[in-house]
Amino acid sequence: MFLHYLDLSWRSFKRTPLVSFLMVLAIAIGIGVTMTSLSVYHMMSADPIPEKSSDLYSVQLQTMDEGRTWWTVDNMPLQLTYQDAVNLNQAKAGGKRVTMVRTGFSVYLDSDKVKPFIGQARLTTPDFFDMFNLSFIYGGVWSEQQEADAAPVVVINKELNDKLFAGENPVGKMVYLDDASYEVIGVIDDWNITTKYYDLNNGAFNKTEQLFLPFSLMKARQLENWGNTNGWKHEKTNTFNDKLNSEMVWLQFWVELKTPAEKQAYQDFLMAYMQEQQKLGRFNREKLTATLRDVNEWMQYNNVVSEDNEILVGLSFMFLAVCLANILGLLLAKFLRRAPEVGVRRALGASKRQIFFQHIVEVAMLGFLGGILGIILAQVGLLGVRQSYSYYQSLATMDLTMLLSAPVIAISTCIIAGLYPAWLVCKTNPAIYLKSQ
């Protein structure tokens, strides 16, 4: 019966091609606009590391004196001071730990084949690569001893390796960063994450860094921070060491905790650490506060998906509703025009239920065709978004979930719009039209 309804629907399309085309086009435009905004929203809010997002925790410490306020909802600084980040990393508490900060260099080779350029870099500790699931194409990460010795080594990403060394194994080769040479010890594979969750303070949707170096190099070579630095009281920071010893917050610290017991133990450790620091004259608050947030909690806390994005998605669905209202009018005209034919079918024995489902199938077919055309329009819209904003390169795409959602949304919304016209036409009284015949 379903195939018969499909055949009747197709015949109906061919009898009224212009009206059918206009309805498909209206659905396609509505779906195209809706899926463009919904796809960006979906990618923004997606879990960037679902396999272990609940095991990775960003650490926050309430370092400010009593009476001081921060702009966050719970009054907590987003980053740590240098002394806290180093102390927590050296304490060996919890599981894997990462201390890191964003920086950058002018990059060049001892060759005239590659022009010097500015490269984004991250100073971090060895656990960074394993914690965030980075895989190596060549070589590997620096050792704990190299970290302690501030060894001049660097891990580069695949994109930079292709640019500098034509994709060949560069392990053991030298690359120049500013005025110093560094030995390449590893190349990581493409790291395609939609949200730069490990450092939301410096652009949630920026590209990941090209270079990764030991964190200890920062102090040894007085490397500058290219990220946000925030303070809450007046401090003299005339020298680099002044900054390291200050209460300014500018470093990110993450810890891996695989069970609730490990999380509670680390929470207790943080409180003990703050009490110890309080005896040294820091953490001047009556109530000490330390917070652990996993990846998704951290993204929500930092408002990665802004209210503007949610409003945009809401507006796009309203636009789809307007398109469906127009389709509703066209369906009413089309179905009621067919009333004499329906009256004859009713007189020949077709039930109201059969007439109703026949027209619902026709509406669903309209939705399916509109959904397919809407995916094409959405791709055009996403291409325009990517061309307009470079940081949307990884966000303005449709994954499999969105590709399947488009026809489902189109069909379901069309069926909702077609319920009333289908119900109206199935109530046709056959006697009226038999008399007119």
Side-chain angles (χ1 to χ4, degrees):
M1 187 61 75
F2 178 71
L3 294 177
H4 177 60
Y5 290 161
L6 286 178
D7 180 59
L8 290 177
S9 300
W10 182 245
R11 292 172 186 271
S12 173
F13 291 168
K14 289 196 293 185
R15 282 200 301 270
T16 55
L18 180 60
V19 174
S20 299
F21 173 74
L22 288 176
M23 287 191 286
V24 170
L25 185 61
I27 299 164
I29 293 173
I31 289 295
V33 172
T34 302
M35 295 311 297
T36 299
S37 61
L38 189 61
S39 296
V40 174
Y41 177 84
H42 171 71
M43 297 303 287
M44 279 184 170
S45 58
D47 188 340
I49 181 169
E51 61 274 20
K52 59 192 308 186
S53 60
S54 59
D55 296 338
L56 304 179
Y57 291 89
S58 176
V59 177
Q60 290 176 272
L61 300 178
Q62 182 51 278
T63 58
M64 294 184 296
D65 288 345
E66 197 75 63
R68 299 281 187 169
T69 58
W70 203 261
W71 57 269
T72 51
V73 291
D74 57 354
N75 212 26
M76 293 283 285
L78 296 170
Q79 303 182 97
L80 299 187
T81 65
Y82 175 81
Q83 49 190 324
D84 290 327
V86 171
N87 289 341
L88 294 181
N89 192 61
Q90 292 177 346
K92 307 296 183 184
K96 293 183 176 66
R97 303 167 305 284
V98 168
T99 303
M100 56 184 167
V101 67
R102 176 173 173 259
T103 188
F105 303 92
S106 59
V107 184
Y108 56 97
L109 297 177
D110 187 16
S111 166
D112 58 359
K113 295 182 179 178
V114 179
K115 293 182 179 178
F117 59 93
I118 300 297
Q120 303 285 330
R122 182 152 295 267
L123 300 169
T124 185
T125 45
D127 285 344
F128 178 87
F129 302 91
D130 189 43
M131 274 185 67
F132 298 125
N133 286 354
L134 276 70
S135 58
F136 281 82
I137 302 174
Y138 301 115
V141 65
W142 56 89
S143 66
E144 291 287 348
Q145 188 60 49
Q146 287 175 310
E147 175 67 43
D149 296 341
V153 294
V154 60
V155 170
I156 62 177
N157 70 357
K158 183 176 181 296
E159 180 185 7
L160 187 58
N161 185 50
D162 292 341
K163 184 173 184 177
L164 296 179
F165 303 106
E168 297 179 356
N169 187 351
V171 174
K173 296 182 179 179
M174 305 302 290
V175 61
Y176 292 88
L177 307 178
D178 287 346
D179 55 354
S181 60
Y182 294 80
E183 179 186 354
V184 179
I185 61 169
V187 179
I188 60 169
D189 204 350
D190 290 329
W191 191 18
N192 299 317
I193 54 175
T194 53
T195 306
K196 199 175 171 183
Y197 59 93
Y198 59 90
D199 184 8
L200 296 176
N201 305 283
N202 300 299
F205 305 114
N206 287 345
K207 290 183 66 176
T208 56
E209 290 78 10
Q210 299 173 301
L211 305 122
F212 302 88
L213 300 96
F215 178 75
S216 53
L217 282 167
M218 185 183 65
K219 182 178 181 180
R221 302 198 174 188
Q222 299 192 358
L223 301 177
E224 292 297 329
N225 168 30
W226 280 27
N228 292 332
T229 300
N230 303 107
W232 50 271
K233 68 177 182 179
H234 177 71
E235 293 178 287
K236 290 184 178 179
T237 54
N238 297 326
T239 66
F240 192 79
N241 280 334
D242 288 341
K243 183 178 180 180
L244 298 185
N245 296 324
S246 73
E247 293 295 336
M248 291 192 296
V249 291
W250 50 297
L251 298 164
Q252 301 88 50
F253 186 84
W254 285 78
V255 62
E256 184 174 353
L257 306 167
K258 295 184 177 179
T259 65
E262 287 185 5
K263 182 183 178 183
Q264 184 58 53
Y266 198 77
Q267 189 79 53
D268 295 340
F269 159 74
L270 290 176
M271 293 305 296
Y273 168 75
M274 295 183 77
Q275 290 168 355
E276 179 186 325
Q277 291 292 309
Q278 201 172 43
K279 294 176 184 176
L280 300 175
R282 302 179 63 218
F283 299 98
N284 181 25
R285 279 186 175 246
E286 183 177 349
K287 181 183 179 182
L288 298 175
T289 307
T291 304
L292 295 172
R293 287 187 170 87
D294 66 24
V295 173
N296 289 312
E297 291 170 341
W298 185 240
M299 288 171 58
Q300 186 175 5
Y301 178 76
N302 282 272
N303 295 319
V304 168
V305 182
S306 68
E307 189 177 345
D308 292 345
N309 296 106
E310 295 172 353
I311 292 174
L312 187 62
V313 172
L315 290 174
S316 65
F317 271 99
M318 291 175 65
F319 179 76
L320 177 60
V322 172
C323 294
L324 290 173
N326 290 320
I327 294 170
L328 174 61
L330 292 172
L331 285 174
L332 276 172
K334 181 177 181 179
F335 286 178
L336 292 179
R337 186 180 176 187
R338 202 187 297 165
E341 173 192 334
V342 171
V344 173
R345 288 193 60 204
R346 287 289 317 282
L348 293 175
S351 66
K352 289 183 179 179
R353 183 171 174 273
Q354 290 173 323
I355 298 296
F356 179 80
F357 280 109
Q358 175 201 329
H359 287 85
I360 288 299
V361 169
E362 183 173 340
V363 170
M365 184 179 283
L366 281 171
F368 176 75
L369 296 174
I372 297 301
L373 184 56
I375 290 176
I376 297 172
L377 296 180
Q379 295 293 345
V380 175
L382 292 171
L383 176 63
V385 173
R386 290 196 295 272
Q387 295 297 325
S388 303
Y389 305 98
S390 58
Y391 60 89
Y392 274 108
Q393 287 294 325
S394 60
L395 295 171
T397 58
M398 290 183 76
D399 62 5
L400 182 61
T401 302
M402 288 294 101
L403 282 173
L404 296 177
S405 298
V408 171
I409 294 174
I411 292 172
S412 57
T413 52
C414 277
I415 288 177
I416 293 173
L419 286 175
Y420 178 67
W423 175 76
L424 203 61
V425 76
C426 78
K427 290 174 58 182
T428 300
N429 186 352
I432 298 175
Y433 297 102
L434 289 177
K435 288 179 181 177
S436 65
Q437 298 296 321

